Amino acid sequence: MDQQSFGDALRLGLRTAARRVRQRASLLLAVTIGGGAVALMGGLSPWMIVLGAALALVLAALVSLEGEDAGAAERASSRAQRSAAAEMAGRWRAALDAVPDPVIVLNHGGAIVHINPAAREIYALLRPGGQPSLLSRDPIFLQAIDEVLDDGRQQSVEIQERIPFDRRVRITLTAVPETSADEDGPRVVIALRDLTDQDRLGRMRADFVANASHELRTPLASLVGFIETLQGRASDDPVARARFLGIMGQQAARMSRLVDDLLSLSRVEMREHVPPRTAIDLNDTVAAAVQALEPVARAAGATLKFSPCDGPAVVLGETDEIVQVVQNLVQNGLKYGAPGSPVAVTVRREARGPTSRIAVAVRDEGPGIPPEHLPRLTERFYRVNPKSSREKGGTGLGLAIVKHIINRHRGEFRIESELGKGSTFTFVIDEQARRPSAAL
Ligand SMILES: Nc1ncnc2c1ncn2[C@@H]1O[C@H](COP(=O)(O)OP(=O)(O)OP(=O)(O)O)[C@@H](O)[C@H]1O
Ligand SMILES: [Mg+2]
């Protein structure tokens, strides 16, 4: 190597060394060792300084190459770790998003790192990075979070919420085992379960038993009273006896109607999850149900009008149940409509996109129903005017049965009413596609 190329190599080496020195502390060590070696070899003559510098450069290059390899390996491994962690985070987030109940995840610092869609739907204010106190400020809940973060033991608390609506919520807080030191990794999973529906069902069951016993107790008490009277002071009074026996007959019939309706309701509720599979023509079924009520209408001085729809109106249905629905609705029209006014029953086809549905409407010209009662009419034992309804022999179960039957048929039930003009009760069921051969 000539002097110039040696000088160039030295300059290049020094520049590289300076760069390496800035990058790595290990280089400093190498230079120090080189310098030290030269000093030990005795004295500081110029060629020795040059030799020491060259030695230092060789060492520096070796050390930096090694450091470079180690650094690259380190970077690659941390990149791999980061992408594995991101993949894992993607997976647990996707799994929680599929849970139908609200779930919220906190990190080690107690901040929110994930909100699944069910939770977002109810708690619109929650945001990743936010605090769980936005979910509830209830001290029991906040304390439970602190405890899980502290000791990792599962906590379950129940809180009463007012916002966004009144409800009772059970919150389970579970610690996630620590798998990484990532501060933003999941630490606490908060699962919420709304107990409001469960409470409502419990109340409904209790109300139902109370209502059913009350409905039975009234005619039963009347029967017992008349029996005692007949055994006592009316025993020798044929006129009173005949009158009392008439009333007793009515009360017994009422009880038997109530028991029939209760059984009917429980039967249809039990089968509600199994939709009917038989194809029936609603024109025929509804016509038969209306015809069977002609004598009742005549006795009430009312008229029944029936209008079928054009062509067959085929649906999947249970004939007996559809007859029961139509009879309940027509009897209501006769009972609660204006005395002597007509009750009209219409079957028609309703288009709905590429498919169509068959609608059956029962319309009366009675006094109508105040709007505040409409949403509750299909509840068991709900009556607009309990006293007059009972006097008319109603049990208050008719529309509840209707609703369950229509649910079983996967249909829709609508009630429209205008005060002073009358009411229309409509049920709608999907029409079965008509085969061209059947139409011929
Ligand atoms: N066409 C109608 N016009 C006005 N009110 C009605 C009409 N149909 C029903 N209602 C009101 O809705 C209430 C509930 O009706 P539902 O058929 O369930 O019971 P009900 O007729 O009293 O008894 P049931 O039908 O079991 O003999 C009735 O008590 C009545 O107050
Ligand atoms: Mg009724």
Side-chain angles (χ1 to χ4, degrees), residues 55-318:
L55 190 60
L57 279 177
V58 172
L59 274 169
L62 283 174
V63 171
S64 78
L65 271 177
E66 235 170 59
E68 206 161 68
D69 283 356
E74 207 175 282
R75 276 197 300 280
S77 121
S78 85
R79 249 198 322 272
Q81 265 175 14
R82 269 202 306 277
S83 92
E87 195 190 328
M88 187 133 83
R91 279 199 204 154
W92 66 253
R93 281 168 199 267
L96 292 181
D97 284 355
V99 176
D101 284 335
V103 177
I104 290 152
V105 182
L106 308 184
N107 65 11
H108 293 242
I112 296 171
V113 283
H114 188 67
I115 308 156
N116 80 344
R120 271 202 299 271
E121 211 170 280
I122 303 177
Y123 303 98
L125 287 179
L126 292 185
R127 294 273 178 277
Q131 290 302 311
S133 53
L134 279 173
L135 188 155
S136 167
R137 295 196 154 280
D138 194 314
I140 299 178
F141 169 61
L142 298 178
Q143 193 185 333
I145 294 179
D146 288 345
E147 283 176 18
V148 179
L149 284 171
D150 274 358
D151 62 19
R153 274 212 308 247
Q154 193 183 60
Q155 303 278 332
S156 183
V157 294
E158 269 178 29
I159 59 167
Q160 198 75 35
E161 288 281 281
R162 298 264 170 271
I163 299 167
F165 47 85
D166 226 347
R167 66 205 196 288
R168 191 164 70 93
V169 184
R170 177 177 300 140
I171 305 180
T172 309
L173 303 102
T174 311
V176 178
E178 297 196 49
T179 48
S180 76
D182 180 9
E183 273 297 304
D184 251 353
R187 179 65 186 132
V188 180
V189 175
I190 302 180
L192 297 106
R193 170 147 292 182
D194 195 334
L195 302 177
T196 321
D197 272 356
Q198 192 180 309
D199 291 353
R200 198 169 49 86
L201 282 178
R203 258 197 319 272
M204 269 170 65
R205 224 185 344 259
D207 283 356
F208 176 68
V209 173
N211 279 327
S213 358
H214 175 75
E215 293 292 328
L216 279 170
R217 213 174 37 220
T218 316
L220 201 58
S222 142
L223 274 179
V224 171
F226 282 119
I227 290 170
E228 281 169 4
T229 316
L230 284 174
Q231 283 169 335
R233 59 192 162 82
S235 58
D236 298 328
D237 182 345
V239 181
R241 196 166 55 223
R243 194 164 66 86
F244 291 166
L245 282 172
I247 300 172
M248 287 166 73
Q250 278 171 10
Q251 297 298 336
R254 184 166 141 66
M255 278 173 38
S256 124
R257 243 192 341 263
L258 184 64
V259 171
D260 285 349
D261 279 355
L262 285 172
L263 287 176
S264 203
L265 191 58
S266 103
R267 240 192 332 263
V268 65
E269 266 187 323
M270 252 162 16
R271 292 193 298 188
E272 206 167 320
H273 63 286
V274 194
R277 293 174 182 279
T278 321
I280 59 169
D281 189 329
L282 281 184
N283 275 336
D284 302 340
T285 316
V286 176
V290 173
Q291 212 175 6
L293 285 174
E294 289 288 357
V296 185
R298 258 199 307 277
T303 47
L304 290 182
K305 282 198 232 161
F306 172 63
S307 323
C309 81
D310 291 338
V314 180
V315 300
L316 291 183
E318 181 95 35

